[in-house]
Amino acid sequence: MTYTVYVLYSSKFDKIYVGYSSNLKQRVLSHNKLATKGWTIKFRPWEVVYTESYVDKPSAMKREKGLKSSRGRDFIRTKILKKG
């Protein structure tokens, strides 16, 4: 099984969300339509702006944590979104 670390962006609210999943298509559908509670429902719609694939869950979790750090958020804003 592979895991995908993903970055979602809400251009309407200028918000970033970082997560990982073994089923990216279903997870994005959940963020945009299916979920009825949680942080991401407030900032819909979301678009996938970046992904990375990993062969095991611990590696994906480690990368997700890195992207959620201040250095990771800077990387997302400057390299992926080209802002700042």
Side-chain angles (χ1 to χ4, degrees):
M1 179 179 299
T2 62
Y3 293 86
T4 304
V5 175
Y6 59 91
V7 176
L8 301 180
Y9 181 65
S10 170
S11 57
K12 184 175 179 180
F13 297 98
D14 193 31
K15 295 288 185 186
I16 295 168
Y17 180 84
V18 178
Y20 73 93
S21 178
S22 60
N23 185 338
L24 181 61
K25 187 176 181 177
Q26 185 63 36
R27 191 68 182 119
V28 173
L29 181 64
S30 177
H31 284 302
N32 276 321
K33 294 195 169 112
L34 302 177
T36 58
K37 58 185 176 179
W39 186 81
T40 59
I41 68 165
K42 295 181 255 180
F43 303 108
R44 290 173 175 164
W46 294 96
E47 65 177 301
V48 178
V49 294
Y50 186 73
T51 62
E52 294 177 0
S53 294
Y54 292 87
V55 295
D56 59 54
K57 189 174 180 178
S59 298
M61 292 172 70
K62 184 176 180 182
R63 180 58 172 153
E64 177 198 30
K65 186 176 180 181
L67 286 173
K68 287 182 174 181
S69 70
S70 64
R71 180 176 271 171
R73 298 241 174 219
D74 287 344
F75 168 76
I76 292 166
R77 290 235 176 243
T78 60
K79 303 292 187 213
I80 299 169
L81 299 175
K82 310 261 193 275
K83 292 182 173 193

